[in-house]
Amino acid sequence: MMERFYNPVFVKELKLRFRSFKSFSGLMFYLAVLCIFIAGFLLLTTEFTGKGFFRPETSFMMFAVLTILQMALVLFITPSLTAGAISSEREKQTLNILLTTTQSSTQIVIGKLLSSVSFLVLMLVAGLPLYSLVFLFGGVSPSQLVSIFLFYLVTVVAIGSIGVMFSTITKRTIVAMIATYGSIIFLGGITAFFFFLTMAFHQMGNAVGTSTSFMTYFWASINPGALMLTLISPEMGNALAELSGVELPVWITYLIAYVLIIVLCLTIAIKKLRANMKSNR
Amino acid sequence: MIEIRDLTKRYGSFTALDHLNLSLEEGIVFGFVGANGAGKSTTFSILATLLSPTSGDALINGKSVVKEPKEVRKQIGYMPDFFGVYDQLKVDEYLDFYGASYGIQLAERQVLIPQLLELVNLTNKRYDYVDLLSRGMKQRLCLARALIHDPKVLILDEPASGLDPRARVEMRDILRNLKTMGKTILISSHILPELAEMCDEIGVIDNGKLIAHGNVAAIQAQLQGEKRIVMKVTDRINEVRAFLEEDPHISSIDVIDNRLEIAFNYRGTDAEQVALLKKAVLIDLPIYALSEEEKDLEDVFMAITKGADSQ
């Protein structure tokens, strides 16, 4: 039974990943950023006296900023872990040998993606104790935390798929990395810009329910930052629904859009892995 | 066993392989010779299912590399001319990974790995990191990897390139061993003598075309075309020269006066050569020795590749 689900590439990648110092330094860097932030936040709210009190609203505020910060860190780290998936094998001249084994392209691509995603999950889990400080002070419900983590996972898999796709279709890791960061800038930054642009248009006199208002909703719903905001405070979601006239919760659209990205990118990666062969699967 | 039919590969206007046809029996060692860029690696890449041909097909044990690449992969063990290793894996983990990649069960892999390491003389390196091995050891490890799923056919692209003489000899011994195990082995090299002593058959490729195919001696004869014969006489060298000039198969006659030797190129068959000698004896020419100047394989190879350069 175990052998049926055994993915050699996944196991090999995990082995290599945990043997490299880079992984540990990356994890340390990540936790250090979170620690510095939380320590700084606590010091600021207690006005460096080490005494004082901590209201649930302040704790909620910390939670919100921490969530966005963690999302930004994840977006920043994922490409560096996935954009080299296939291209680094090509650069190290190990890809040809791998492709002559009887493993299917699907197995290889999924193995590569899963190994990167599992490392990112480890990062997120390692950050949980810091997160749980928030619970100490109240103001946040566990279900909120769970849903936020689920959407971290969706985002990581989607960005990871984009990285693996670029890694397969470009010859060099550096190009794949630039392309993946470019996609993140699009998803995180350009969509936000378009959101504000369409919103400005909207406020200049367009009525609710027009194509402009739909576009406002669309740009917001594929932006990871916007999604996190609506998850943290549902009022934001309501405001957006009011503004755009689209009642569908942002997370549903986000989920559909990102699952589509995952499917599309992985399909391309699997098709292109053995691009020099006509028939492949 | 291996059947290559009209295999053609073009990159834009450049033709790397031009209607290559080749048929190989099971269990032979086949050497593929040609200058760099002649099309050896392209052929091997197609056989290894890494590259699809522009037209034509190749069958390995009846399985088409174009239509059933996955079946072909089960039948072949491929070693590319340049390859890398995963730095942070140990030798046994390296083999274990590839074993798993061929769908071999864990229990079976644990039995196979020590056997393979023994075959390639790396038993004492089992727990070393792969990147610490010497080039020759890496080459042998890669060979062990190519053998892990017990393929019937081995495709080795320049297996001895970059190896020192000792490592070369070790590699050759392993290949001999594999031949006795009944594997069909395809080896490429740009050095003909390297292959001559271990191959049953040799194919010479030039500009994407197979220009010669057969056993080593036949190839040599075919490529040489004419032989250089040296005749020793006791006397009357000019008379002998005049006699030789009459024969239509003879050209480039050189007389080495002070030694009473005469050398010439001969194009005729062995039977015609017998007739020539008989005639010389009948008219009482003072010939006391006759020998064929040995051209070594290196010269032959230089002759072929020179032809390729001038085109």
Side-chain angles (χ1 to χ4, degrees):
Chain A
M1 195 62 188
M2 274 303 286
E3 292 274 337
R4 259 185 73 191
F5 295 102
Y6 188 87
N7 185 318
V9 172
F10 174 68
V11 176
K12 183 232 9 163
E13 286 294 310
L14 279 191
K15 220 177 256 178
L16 292 181
R17 183 143 278 149
F18 285 103
R19 279 181 189 172
S20 86
F21 179 71
K22 221 168 62 183
S23 306
F24 290 96
S25 56
L27 191 57
M28 196 179 72
F29 162 77
Y30 173 76
L31 293 176
V33 170
L34 286 185
C35 277
I36 289 168
F37 170 76
I38 289 172
F41 193 89
L42 290 178
L43 284 174
L44 275 177
T45 46
T46 55
E47 290 165 344
F48 296 95
T49 55
K51 287 182 278 192
F53 59 94
F54 210 74
R55 283 191 304 273
E57 300 88 73
T58 330
S59 156
F60 179 76
M61 178 75 173
M62 182 169 93
F63 172 71
V65 182
L66 201 58
T67 303
I68 300 286
L69 179 80
Q70 179 141 283
M71 185 55 134
L73 279 174
V74 163
L75 289 182
F76 180 71
I77 294 165
T78 312
S80 68
L81 289 179
T82 56
I86 306 292
S87 49
S88 70
E89 294 253 0
R90 197 177 280 130
E91 283 161 4
K92 281 192 288 178
Q93 297 181 314
T94 48
L95 186 65
N96 270 355
I97 298 178
L98 192 60
L99 294 183
T100 52
T101 67
T102 51
Q103 280 193 96
S104 65
S105 304
T106 313
Q107 241 181 326
I108 294 172
V109 167
I110 298 287
K112 286 280 181 182
L113 179 69
L114 279 187
S115 69
S116 309
V117 167
S118 48
F119 185 74
L120 284 155
V121 168
L122 172 80
M123 270 189 160
L124 292 175
V125 171
L128 268 181
L130 292 170
Y131 241 96
S132 63
L133 272 180
V134 173
F135 285 112
L136 216 57
F137 306 113
V140 179
S141 76
S143 68
Q144 238 176 343
L145 194 69
V146 170
S147 64
I148 282 172
F149 266 80
L150 282 179
F151 276 93
Y152 277 152
L153 195 64
V154 172
T155 312
V156 161
V157 176
I159 305 284
S161 308
I162 295 174
V164 171
M165 178 192 73
F166 281 125
S167 186
T168 312
I169 59 178
T170 59
K171 289 246 180 321
R172 307 207 20 218
T173 302
I174 188 79
V175 180
M177 213 167 281
I178 291 168
T180 314
Y181 276 114
S183 312
I184 290 177
I185 290 171
F186 174 77
L187 289 174
I190 302 197
T191 54
F193 172 73
F194 280 140
F195 167 71
F196 288 118
L197 202 69
T198 47
M199 198 166 70
F201 259 123
H202 183 72
Q203 282 166 344
M204 271 154 59
N206 281 316
V208 169
T210 60
S211 61
T212 336
S213 64
F214 174 73
M215 286 315 283
T216 314
Y217 171 80
F218 174 75
W219 293 122
S221 65
I222 60 168
N223 184 296
L227 169 86
M228 286 299 149
L229 286 176
T230 61
L231 286 179
I232 296 163
S233 75
E235 299 85 56
M236 294 261 200
N238 295 339
L240 183 69
E242 220 168 89
L243 182 82
S244 63
V246 182
E247 294 290 334
L248 195 67
V250 166
W251 68 266
I252 295 182
T253 320
Y254 186 89
L255 193 64
I256 294 171
Y258 277 61
V259 167
L260 279 179
I261 291 177
I262 295 169
V263 172
L264 186 73
C265 290
L266 290 184
T267 312
I268 293 174
I270 290 165
K271 283 245 180 292
K272 293 287 176 190
L273 184 64
R274 287 180 164 117
N276 291 330
M277 284 304 294
K278 278 174 207 147
S279 53
N280 56 89
R281 213 155 26 91
Chain B
M1 179 67 190
I2 296 176
E3 187 84 41
I4 298 178
R5 295 177 188 156
D6 272 331
L7 205 63
T8 303
K9 179 72 189 175
R10 287 195 195 91
Y11 298 98
S13 60
F14 174 70
T15 306
L17 275 185
D18 193 1
H19 298 279
L20 189 78
N21 282 293
L22 188 64
S23 171
L24 301 174
E25 293 298 313
E26 189 170 341
I28 68 158
V29 179
F30 176 76
F32 212 22
V33 204
N36 294 330
K40 303 180 302 269
S41 291
T42 306
T43 311
F44 279 9
S45 292
I46 292 174
L47 290 179
T49 76
L50 288 170
L51 202 63
S52 66
T54 311
S55 66
D57 201 353
L59 303 180
I60 292 179
N61 280 339
K63 308 284 180 198
S64 155
V65 293
V66 179
K67 296 190 197 92
E68 306 155 278
K70 196 161 182 178
E71 289 304 310
V72 170
R73 282 176 208 136
K74 286 182 195 164
Q75 313 264 355
I76 57 157
Y78 170 65
M79 186 163 137
D81 45 356
F82 298 104
F83 64 91
V85 290
Y86 301 109
D87 298 347
Q88 313 226 0
L89 282 188
K90 289 176 181 171
V91 168
D92 67 334
E93 291 169 336
Y94 179 84
L95 290 177
D96 187 71
F97 165 60
Y98 286 105
S101 295
Y102 280 105
I104 300 167
Q105 304 289 304
L106 179 66
E108 212 177 318
R109 298 201 295 270
Q110 282 168 342
V111 177
L112 268 173
I113 290 169
Q115 290 174 353
L116 285 169
L117 288 177
E118 170 133 26
L119 183 74
V120 298
N121 301 326
L122 284 176
T123 305
N124 57 346
K125 297 285 175 189
R126 184 170 176 181
Y127 301 108
D128 286 13
Y129 280 100
V130 172
D131 59 332
L132 298 178
L133 299 182
S134 70
R135 186 174 165 120
M137 288 176 185
K138 277 184 192 160
Q139 209 94 359
R140 266 145 52 203
L141 179 63
C142 191
L143 185 62
R145 173 206 56 78
L147 286 166
I148 198 152
H149 56 301
D150 195 21
K152 291 203 177 74
V153 179
L154 276 176
I155 298 173
L156 313 175
D157 201 351
E158 304 268 356
S161 74
L163 297 187
D164 60 49
R166 173 175 288 276
R168 229 170 252 249
V169 169
E170 275 174 332
M171 180 59 91
R172 208 174 48 212
D173 290 345
I174 295 167
L175 291 179
R176 255 192 216 122
N177 204 348
L178 289 172
K179 193 194 165 184
T180 60
M181 289 161 72
K183 308 269 182 212
T184 307
I185 306 173
L186 277 72
I187 313 172
S188 78
S189 177
H190 55 276
I191 309 167
L192 187 57
E194 187 177 281
L195 294 180
E197 49 183 310
M198 59 178 162
C199 293
D200 303 313
E201 277 180 33
I202 279 183
V204 182
I205 188 170
D206 189 30
N207 281 332
K209 286 187 184 132
L210 195 70
I211 54 172
H213 174 210
N215 66 40
V216 180
I219 288 274
Q220 209 167 354
Q222 191 181 339
L223 290 175
Q224 271 175 286
E226 50 189 32
K227 44 193 164 189
R228 185 85 177 160
I229 292 174
V230 179
M231 211 177 243
K232 291 183 181 174
V233 293
T234 49
D235 199 5
R236 291 148 60 198
I237 192 142
N238 287 333
E239 214 174 303
V240 175
R241 186 191 174 117
F243 167 75
L244 291 173
E245 275 169 352
E246 281 169 25
D247 194 294
H249 300 303
I250 289 175
S251 60
S252 312
I253 302 173
D254 288 316
V255 176
I256 309 154
D257 289 306
N258 51 358
R259 275 196 286 163
L260 288 172
E261 279 180 22
I262 188 162
F264 57 90
N265 286 358
Y266 190 72
R267 265 191 315 276
T269 61
D270 289 351
E272 284 165 333
Q273 197 178 326
V274 171
L276 178 76
L277 280 178
K278 214 172 182 176
K279 211 168 132 192
V281 172
L282 280 178
I283 59 168
D284 210 19
L285 287 176
I287 302 166
Y288 74 91
L290 192 76
S291 62
E292 203 174 303
E293 216 173 60
E294 286 239 345
K295 258 191 197 174
D296 67 10
L297 283 165
E298 199 117 18
D299 295 335
V300 176
F301 184 70
M302 288 306 281
I304 319 165
T305 50
K306 204 162 91 188
D309 282 346
S310 59
Q311 274 172 21

